[in-house]
Amino acid sequence: MLEPVRYFDNGATTRIDPRVLEEMMPWLREDFGNASSMHIWGRKAMAAVDEARERCATLIGAEDPEEIFFTSGATESNNWVLQRCGSFAASPFEHSSVRALVEELPEGHRLPNSGWSVGTPEQSVDLISVMAVNSEMGCIVSRPKFSGLVHSDVTQGAGKVPISLEGIDYASFSSHKMSGPKGVGGLYMKSGRELEPLIYGGGQERGLRSGTLNVSGIIGFGAAAKLAHDDFESNRAHVSELRNIVKQELAQVPDVRCNDHVDQSPFTLSLSFYKLVGETLVIEMDARGWAISAGSACSSGSQTVSPVLVSLGITDDWARGTVRMSFSKWNTKESAAAMAKDLAECARRLQSLN
Ligand code: PMP
């Protein structure tokens, strides 16, 4: 039995909240209607979807629930905006679903950066894309002033740090980062903005995102968004306390640097161990029953140093030894202290072998 208290990889995904699961269950059992149907099964499902839309709008501070479109996740939301916006430039700190498009599409460019501060585009573009919170380190990324359209991937920020949609035209977010189910996400599109569909078909989501609605998933997303909104302050206070416990323990280890930024999400802690290998620490911790990650889970498995660390000018000797711990309401003070002690021990042992 895997214990949620030992799971410190909540930036990759989170445990579904049992209250969320409970709200989802009827929609997988008796209330199985297609939300587009005219009969009572369909109308009931659509009413529940619309309540979920309201809850998601409230979480991110959208004025009108109609500004929220449901997708299969933040990867799709990011692709939707960037494949349909014309030319764009994105920060070097983005999730791989954005960075890949900068590389793949002729319309994609990179925004310059100085540390965590992102500069204005070096060419004329229709849209800039700058995430709210970086997934590898939890740093809050500052956005340049820009007169065109602005997209922000708020996946690692929604329900975790205060989000302002001021100056934002499009925002991507995802359910499974906030104790909701996987495979469902949202795109905020400010009233009056337009975007051609990425997916064509039956014309669901006001003609802009086709495909039978994932009713149970959407309802779970709404339930998770409501909990994240209601428990915002208490969750933050809880993870801040755990983070401090871990930081203090690891500060005793030589040759470690904490990758905190002045403006930081308390849900993530990134540490770099000089001349160690992040993956080795992850494997050693796994053997002791702890889940942590080396950089971002989406890019782990690759042997190259994370482009985010490279963009920040972190040298190879430090970058390779980077691990990420990401916290949730399921972790406890005791589990955080025990995990930190084990990580410190593993690091010391590996350092002695160097
Ligand atoms: N953006 C960010 C910042 C993320 O952390 C993730 C998940 N790792 C994604 C996008 C992709 O989200 P999803 O898994 O919902 O496609």
Side-chain angles (χ1 to χ4, degrees):
M1 167 67 174
L2 302 174
E3 295 171 61
V5 291
R6 301 183 75 88
Y7 182 86
F8 289 87
D9 196 14
N10 293 280
T13 195
T14 52
R15 174 194 187 200
I16 195 163
D17 192 302
R19 291 166 291 179
V20 169
L21 194 56
E22 207 172 301
E23 283 207 40
M24 288 171 69
M25 286 316 281
W27 304 96
L28 290 161
R29 288 192 176 127
E30 59 275 18
D31 297 324
F32 54 82
N34 183 327
S36 304
S37 298
M38 285 173 72
H39 49 63
I40 181 64
W41 277 270
R43 294 199 311 276
K44 199 175 167 193
M46 190 52 102
V49 163
D50 283 336
E51 190 187 353
R53 204 184 300 282
E54 271 172 38
R55 289 169 160 188
C56 288
T58 303
L59 175 71
I60 65 164
E63 278 173 22
D64 183 349
E66 297 280 293
E67 295 175 317
I68 305 294
F69 294 82
F70 290 115
T71 65
S72 64
T75 297
E76 182 190 323
S77 302
N78 287 341
N79 271 268
W80 184 4
V81 175
L82 299 183
Q83 292 199 45
R84 291 292 181 262
C85 68
S87 58
F88 67 93
S91 94
F93 306 126
E94 302 299 304
H95 182 255
S96 49
S97 56
V98 172
R99 287 203 316 264
L101 295 172
V102 171
E103 280 168 29
E104 293 298 324
L105 301 179
E107 301 85 3
H109 303 276
R110 204 196 117 155
L111 286 168
N113 73 296
S114 160
W116 284 108
S117 153
V118 176
T120 49
E122 285 161 348
Q123 47 287 101
S124 146
V125 289
D126 300 309
L127 174 142
I128 62 166
S129 183
V130 181
M131 73 197 321
V133 177
N134 172 261
S135 26
E136 292 178 41
M137 303 197 184
C139 303
I140 295 173
V141 184
S142 75
R143 219 174 40 242
K145 283 207 183 342
F146 181 63
S147 54
L149 294 167
V150 175
H151 167 247
S152 186
D153 178 351
V154 304
T155 305
Q156 293 286 350
K160 297 179 177 171
V161 304
I163 296 286
S164 163
L165 293 177
E166 177 93 41
I168 291 180
D169 301 285
Y170 306 100
S172 308
F173 59 124
S174 182
S175 154
H176 73 104
K177 309 288 182 179
M178 52 175 96
S179 292
K182 295 172 183 54
V184 55
L187 179 69
Y188 160 82
M189 194 185 313
K190 192 180 169 75
S191 295
R193 300 298 177 269
E194 286 177 353
L195 213 52
E196 287 296 313
L198 181 66
I199 296 175
Y200 291 87
Q204 287 87 349
E205 294 294 85
R206 281 151 284 147
L208 293 182
R209 201 285 186 180
S210 288
T212 301
L213 293 187
N214 171 5
V215 175
S216 59
I218 289 169
I219 284 157
F221 188 12
K226 179 169 183 345
L227 288 174
H229 182 258
D230 292 351
D231 303 340
F232 182 77
E233 290 302 340
S234 59
N235 285 342
R236 274 172 68 85
H238 177 65
V239 297
S240 300
E241 196 175 1
L242 306 189
R243 196 175 183 283
N244 280 338
I245 291 170
V246 178
K247 233 173 118 170
Q248 273 169 21
E249 179 70 37
L250 270 303
Q252 320 287 325
V253 177
D255 288 339
V256 61
R257 57 175 274 182
C258 172
N259 295 314
D260 272 8
H261 180 44
V262 277
D263 218 357
Q264 175 72 35
S265 161
F267 286 80
T268 304
L269 174 62
S270 165
L271 298 175
S272 297
F273 295 88
Y274 186 63
K275 293 216 163 163
L276 295 189
V277 176
E279 280 82 358
T280 312
L281 284 164
V282 172
I283 293 165
E284 296 254 333
M285 288 295 278
D286 177 46
R288 294 172 185 230
W290 301 110
I292 64 168
S293 72
S296 143
C298 310
S299 60
S300 70
S302 71
Q303 290 302 303
T304 51
V305 169
S306 142
V308 171
L309 301 174
V310 172
S311 309
L312 288 167
I314 298 179
T315 58
D316 259 29
D317 279 342
W318 286 101
R320 284 192 192 284
T322 302
V323 292
R324 175 185 77 172
M325 283 141 284
S326 35
F327 303 89
S328 80
K329 55 190 169 187
W330 314 111
N331 302 122
T332 62
K333 280 195 269 187
E334 293 71 28
S335 75
M339 185 276 288
K341 208 161 155 283
D342 271 356
L343 180 60
E345 231 174 78
C346 289
R348 284 204 175 91
R349 202 179 61 73
L350 292 168
Q351 282 170 339
S352 74
L353 300 176
N354 262 350

